[in-house]
Amino acid sequence: MAKQFVRFQYKNKIDWGLMTDENILPLQIGDKSTKDLLVDLQKKRIKLNLKSKKRIQKKDVAVLSPITAPCQVICQGANYSKHSLESGLDPKSKTYNLFFTKSDLSLTTAIGDVIRPNHVELLDYEIELGIVFGKDIDLPLDVKSYHPNEYIAGLFIANDISARDIQLPQLQWYKGKSYRTFFPAGPILLVLEPGDYELIQSLELNLKVNGQLRQSAKANQMVFPPKESIAELSLFTQIRVGDVLLTGTPAGCALKAPGKLKQIFASFLPEHKKWDLFIKGQKKRTEYLQPGDLIKATIRTADGKMDLGEQIIQVKQD
């Protein structure tokens, strides 16, 4: 059965632990990287003494990101059909898997703050299922014959925070998604066991802002599921243990593309005027994040067999 691991700080020391209910069983391995933790688990260098009474209450620790830098952060865009529509893309004509990258500088804790830079007005949320690789990929994988459970070591909740007024008008996806704190990760690193891969499709993603449900979907609604996406990634990039893949966000983001008539009208305008009109229209949408907003996100199966914990993030102004 998949195991829940957390990276935490307790009495000024950083360690990894195994979650047991609301308690943490410290591994006493220090501040290891995600890569080193996974390698040690694979090589059985870490002993999990479940009978040990040396446990810490979760409420007494500061939970840190279970994803550590440096790592490669690869993302998928418009990987849920309804999100494609709200982004202005036709899912029927989009026949390609959209990949982009995000800086690992944006990594932050799952319990904490997202800082909105002073020059950003259109701050958006994106709950995503994060995959952590547990095996290097140096050669192309055959999508028909390879087994994804050999390469997917763990899962975690990711929030691909996005500055839409940077990402879209400036065509700066990397910059618009990579400011500090724009990548809340965790709180749980769910390390999978053989056979757990099949349960991924049953995971339910839910995100609320100030108690209002904004995003809700099942992982089986992805246009390009992990097996297919990893095989395609292997054609053009090298993957290392500890690298991550964010598998796209469901519908319900603050972003909503203008209607077709407005898009046709805007196509006749100079580029800067088109984007001025876009930003003006987006500013009318109350769904964009504001200082003080509280974001809560969960990913779990209905039966609780797989649970990635809960992110609790508050928006603050730079």
Side-chain angles (χ1 to χ4, degrees):
M1 191 176 191
K3 292 182 175 63
Q4 296 178 317
F5 289 89
V6 291
R7 181 168 160 263
F8 65 94
Q9 182 171 330
Y10 179 68
K11 293 184 177 179
N12 297 320
K13 291 184 179 180
I14 296 176
D15 195 7
W16 286 87
L18 178 68
M19 286 296 303
T20 58
D21 297 321
E22 287 302 304
N23 295 322
I24 298 172
L25 175 62
L27 301 184
Q28 298 181 323
I29 59 174
D31 188 15
K32 289 201 171 194
S33 67
T34 308
K35 173 184 176 179
D36 288 342
L37 172 77
L38 294 173
V39 170
D40 284 353
L41 287 171
Q42 290 167 6
K43 295 187 175 181
K44 302 188 184 303
R45 294 172 182 161
I46 297 174
K47 305 297 183 183
L48 301 178
N49 183 9
L50 298 178
K51 294 181 179 179
S52 172
K53 295 182 180 180
K54 295 180 179 179
R55 299 174 191 251
I56 305 171
Q57 288 189 310
K58 184 180 175 182
K59 65 180 181 64
D60 294 331
V61 309
V63 176
L64 306 176
S65 167
I67 308 302
T68 58
C71 69
Q72 185 176 196
V73 183
I74 305 167
C75 310
Q76 289 177 262
N79 200 27
Y80 288 76
S81 295
K82 289 183 179 179
H83 179 58
S84 295
L85 287 169
E86 69 184 8
S87 301
L89 300 172
D90 182 356
K92 292 181 180 179
S93 61
K94 179 181 172 289
T95 57
Y96 56 90
N97 202 343
L98 172 60
F99 293 103
F100 60 94
T101 56
K102 188 176 177 90
S103 171
D104 60 8
L105 178 72
S106 59
L107 275 164
T108 192
T109 63
I111 313 294
D113 301 326
V114 165
I115 308 301
R116 187 178 78 170
N118 284 326
H119 64 285
V120 171
E121 294 182 280
L122 303 179
L123 191 68
D124 209 348
Y125 48 84
E126 291 190 11
I127 185 175
E128 305 204 16
L129 175 63
I131 286 173
V132 188
F133 291 98
K135 184 178 179 179
D136 291 352
I137 303 177
D138 294 308
L139 297 170
L141 299 174
D142 183 347
V143 70
K144 295 180 180 178
S145 61
Y146 97 98
H147 300 290
N149 56 289
E150 294 180 12
Y151 296 90
I152 300 175
L155 309 173
F156 66 98
I157 302 173
N159 196 333
D160 181 20
I161 301 292
S162 304
R164 301 298 192 193
D165 41 348
I166 306 298
Q167 173 199 355
L168 299 174
Q170 295 184 19
L171 304 179
Q172 291 276 7
W173 284 49
Y174 184 74
K175 181 167 73 172
K177 289 172 171 282
S178 294
Y179 293 104
R180 286 172 174 82
T181 75
F182 272 29
F183 182 9
I188 299 294
L189 174 60
L190 191 72
V191 176
L192 304 183
E193 297 289 338
D196 285 340
Y197 174 77
E198 302 303 325
L199 298 176
I200 291 177
Q201 63 180 351
S202 299
L203 287 167
E204 298 176 355
L205 294 75
N206 288 286
L207 180 141
K208 295 180 179 180
V209 178
N210 300 327
Q212 180 189 41
L213 184 64
R214 297 282 184 87
Q215 293 183 279
S216 184
K218 270 193 173 183
N220 65 1
Q221 295 170 11
M222 292 181 196
V223 178
F224 297 96
K227 183 179 182 181
E228 190 174 336
S229 297
I230 293 169
E232 186 172 355
L233 272 178
S234 73
L235 300 177
F236 61 87
T237 190
Q238 287 186 323
I239 300 294
R240 294 290 175 257
V241 176
D243 287 346
V244 300
L245 172 65
L246 310 190
T247 56
T249 195
C253 293
L255 172 69
K256 188 172 183 181
K260 291 295 181 184
L261 288 177
K262 288 185 178 180
Q263 290 184 45
I264 293 171
F265 170 75
S267 67
F268 293 100
L269 298 174
E271 193 73 8
H272 71 283
K273 287 191 175 182
K274 178 182 77 172
W275 287 114
D276 285 346
L277 189 64
F278 168 81
I279 291 176
K280 183 178 179 180
Q282 293 298 303
K283 282 182 179 179
K284 296 177 182 178
R285 292 186 55 76
T286 58
E287 290 85 355
Y288 281 102
L289 295 169
Q290 302 297 326
D293 283 349
L294 188 68
I295 310 166
K296 291 187 177 183
T298 60
I299 300 180
R300 54 175 64 106
T301 56
D303 59 9
K305 286 185 178 179
M306 299 180 79
D307 190 341
L308 281 59
E310 181 180 39
Q311 280 195 5
I312 304 176
I313 298 293
Q314 188 159 43
V315 181
K316 292 192 175 180
Q317 186 71 39
D318 193 0

